[in-house]
Amino acid sequence: MLWATWWVWLAGAIALGILEMLVPGFIFLGFAVGAAVVGAVLLLGLAPTLPWLLVGFAAVSLVSWLAMRRAFGVRKGQSKVFDIDINDG
């Protein structure tokens, strides 16, 4: 039962966090937060069944994605503008 091992979920959270750095957009970061929370729940000794772990992962991922979208997303009627070019020296 690999899904019930806490370090697997935390390793998945780290992998998703690294993937977020490579493909920015606050998509994978929500999943990383969800996986980290599930890993923390398992580390604390709670042992829910697989369906409850998946529901918890999905719920935390959705809430964290919505929170990041609200905090960091482009507001309605605005467009993303970059003032600095990394190639200008």
Side-chain angles (χ1 to χ4, degrees), residues 12-41:
I14 291 170
L16 287 166
I18 291 170
L19 189 59
E20 177 64 37
M21 289 183 214
L22 298 174
V23 184
F26 300 109
I27 296 171
F28 296 108
L29 195 57
F31 291 123
V33 170
V37 168
V38 170
V41 165

Side-chain angles (χ1 to χ4, degrees), residues 15 34-35 54 58:
L54 294 177

